[in-house]
Amino acid sequence: MNKYLERLTNGLFKENPTFVLMLGMCPTLAVTVSATNGLGMGLSTAVVLVASNVIIAALRKFIPNTVRMPYFIVVVASMVTIVQLLLQAYVPEVNESLGIYIPLIVVNCIIFGRVEAYAAKNKVGLSLFDGIGMGLGFTIALVIIGSFRELLGAGTIFNYRVMPESYEPIAMFVKPPGAFLVLAVLTALQNKFRLPSATNKKDKVSQLTCGGDCLNCNDREKAERKED
Amino acid sequence: MNSDYLVNLLIILISAAFINNVILSQFLGICPFLGISNKIKSAVGMGLAVMFVITTASILCSLVFQYILDPMNLQYLQTIVFIIVIAALVQLVEMVIKKFSPTLYDALGVYLPLITTNCAVLGVALLNVDKGFDLVESIVNGFASALGFTIAIVLMAGIRERMEHNDIPETFKGFPITLVTATLMAMAFYGFAGLV
């Protein structure tokens, strides 16, 4: 049972996809204008991740290694479509406010990273818990960033007024530049306090396919090509 | 084609390239924007590769949607079909360039595999459908979005090349200062809002 628990804490803290691995930056920046949006996006991604992980883990012995990528794409895209249809049916307002970022879960590198690096090599049970851990880690990160931006940009959290009436909201934080600024400060703090993060290379290279090191992605790609 | 239609195309072009810039206002393709923007040369290469792929993908996805998915009432399959079309397209482009123009392959080849999972490609294809664009409008929107991507990434590369010689606080070196630069660029591009 311990190794299942270990998968959960791994996703939530040790290898948190947003704060530590720095994966899936596009949705992180785009949808965190409010805590509600962050929660919706995080949970949708988590459901897709858990379902894809379980299906790929169950089929891992039947998928030929050479053509695994197309298989993964089809499975993940199908899960995304199911989630999108469910959102349209039951919570249309969430679907409305997240817009094209819901179908774009397909190209979220957290999903491909986990499916490729974990689910394709491990048992169904472990993959399930890995998906839950990573999904919740992503959700919590988005809610934290979303709450922070909503608090500064609108004075509310989950639409409840937190700041006093006299507080003048800094609208920039709920606009695109605010997303970059919040992430810049976050990564600077991680550097300052030497917290583990893909951006300061203090921790070991992750087992994920791309390692989340966006900044040196190009160099690594070239190095790998030369080795081939 | 009447003049109203041309004006409409011009509006699509300007709003996709500047006002709704894919990177600085829609956050599509952040990874290559941060990863391949350390040299102007590679930024231009990536920009050109993205322009080619997004424009071609817009044409293909628009055709597939209008002539296959829409008439058969299969709109809900668009995500699956689009991502397969894009993955196949990138593979094909890579093979064709490798075979016919090794020089071009040397220049753009490294960027092509990165483009399949670049959310800007799928994002623009989905936006074309969302906004109900016809084929010509989709091509213009695709090209203009990619142009916006190229402008943003080349500008960023230019700034970062100069920043290399600057004295940046230890804490802000690397990722944070790049994001601060992106913040300022996003603010500047925010000024285009209300242009149309």
Side-chain angles (χ1 to χ4, degrees):
Chain A
M1 203 57 218
N2 260 338
K3 56 187 179 181
Y4 294 105
L5 211 62
E6 188 269 329
R7 290 324 305 169
L8 282 182
T9 52
N10 182 59
L12 281 171
F13 307 108
K14 209 166 126 250
E15 286 199 338
N16 186 295
T18 305
F19 293 139
V20 182
L21 299 179
M22 290 285 165
L23 288 177
M25 281 297 114
C26 299
T28 307
L29 290 164
V31 304
T32 50
V33 287
S34 68
T36 325
N37 268 6
L39 185 67
M41 184 70 199
L43 288 181
S44 311
T45 311
V47 171
V48 172
L49 181 56
V50 170
S52 310
N53 254 5
V54 168
I55 292 174
I56 296 289
L59 293 175
R60 70 187 187 281
K61 295 204 176 106
F62 306 100
I63 297 176
N65 200 33
T66 43
V67 288
R68 61 185 196 286
M69 274 308 172
Y71 274 91
F72 294 168
I73 290 180
V74 173
V75 169
V76 174
S78 312
M79 293 308 123
V80 170
T81 307
I82 292 170
V83 167
Q84 193 183 9
L85 292 176
L86 288 173
L87 286 178
Q88 274 168 6
Y90 294 104
V91 271
E93 60 278 13
V94 172
N95 184 55
E96 196 70 24
S97 65
L98 292 176
I100 63 159
Y101 295 101
I102 290 290
L104 283 179
I105 296 175
V106 178
V107 282
N108 188 329
C109 35
I110 298 172
I111 312 245
F112 270 92
R114 285 334 281 175
V115 163
E116 161 93 358
Y118 198 83
K121 293 171 195 147
N122 287 284
K123 290 201 182 98
V124 177
L126 281 172
S127 301
L128 171 74
F129 277 85
D130 184 71
I132 296 174
M134 282 284 163
L136 287 183
F138 185 59
T139 309
I140 290 172
L142 287 197
V143 171
I144 292 174
I145 299 176
S147 309
F148 192 69
R149 285 181 66 189
E150 197 185 337
L151 181 71
L152 290 174
T156 58
I157 289 179
F158 285 109
N159 287 329
Y160 289 107
R161 183 137 207 110
V162 180
M163 296 297 235
E165 284 297 325
S166 57
Y167 173 72
E168 186 78 41
I170 312 162
M172 192 196 78
F173 278 98
V174 289
K175 299 279 187 303
F180 286 115
L181 188 62
V182 167
L183 206 68
V185 173
L186 177 73
T187 48
L189 287 175
Q190 284 175 328
N191 281 352
K192 176 83 185 160
F193 298 109
R194 310 211 172 280
L195 300 171
S197 161
T199 55
N200 54 21
K201 295 194 207 110
K202 288 292 179 293
D203 68 337
K204 63 183 193 324
V205 175
S206 158
Q207 51 175 339
L208 278 166
T209 34
C210 77
D213 186 6
C214 278
L215 219 50
N216 296 302
C217 166
N218 186 33
D219 301 337
R220 201 201 325 247
E221 187 83 13
K222 270 190 190 142
E224 274 168 15
R225 293 222 155 200
K226 279 200 186 106
E227 278 165 28
D228 296 342
Chain B
M1 268 197 221
N2 54 29
S3 63
D4 277 2
Y5 192 70
L6 287 177
V7 170
N8 174 36
L9 288 184
L10 190 68
I11 291 175
I12 292 175
L13 186 97
I14 292 173
S15 52
F18 295 106
I19 303 165
N20 294 320
N21 187 290
V22 270
I23 293 174
L24 297 169
S25 108
Q26 312 216 46
F27 305 108
L28 303 174
I30 294 294
C31 250
F33 177 64
L34 299 174
I36 308 169
S37 59
N38 39 7
K39 294 272 178 311
I40 290 187
K41 198 164 161 269
S42 46
V44 171
M46 182 70 190
L48 292 179
V50 165
M51 267 166 134
F52 181 71
V53 171
I54 291 193
T55 313
T56 328
S58 294
I59 299 173
L60 285 178
C61 291
S62 179
L63 286 175
V64 165
F65 189 81
Q66 277 173 39
Y67 294 103
I68 300 175
L69 297 182
D70 210 23
M72 293 171 80
N73 273 327
L74 291 172
Q75 292 91 338
Y76 61 90
L77 283 182
Q78 57 167 333
T79 314
I80 306 180
V81 173
F82 284 5
I83 188 76
I84 294 173
V85 167
I86 291 167
L89 172 74
V90 175
Q91 262 319 293
L92 196 72
V93 169
E94 196 181 355
M95 275 150 61
V96 169
I97 294 183
K98 203 174 188 175
K99 176 96 178 138
F100 291 105
S101 169
T103 12
L104 193 63
Y105 183 76
D106 276 345
L108 301 186
V110 278
Y111 309 114
L112 286 172
L114 295 173
I115 292 177
T116 320
T117 50
N118 181 340
C119 41
V121 184
L122 182 62
V124 171
L126 290 167
L127 277 176
N128 285 339
V129 171
D130 249 24
K131 293 187 178 166
F133 286 162
D134 65 20
L135 182 61
V136 182
E137 287 170 330
S138 299
I139 298 173
V140 172
N141 187 42
F143 175 77
S145 304
L147 184 69
F149 178 90
T150 311
I151 293 172
I153 196 170
V154 172
L155 285 177
M156 179 60 132
I159 298 172
R160 279 181 68 183
E161 274 192 4
R162 295 198 155 212
M163 234 161 39
E164 256 175 39
H165 309 291
N166 288 5
D167 188 18
I168 298 158
E170 193 60 42
T171 314
F172 272 87
K173 268 186 187 153
F175 216 84
I177 195 71
T178 312
L179 286 166
V180 170
T181 315
T183 313
L184 297 176
M185 284 173 71
M187 277 178 172
F189 270 71
Y190 198 63
F192 287 119
L195 197 65
V196 171

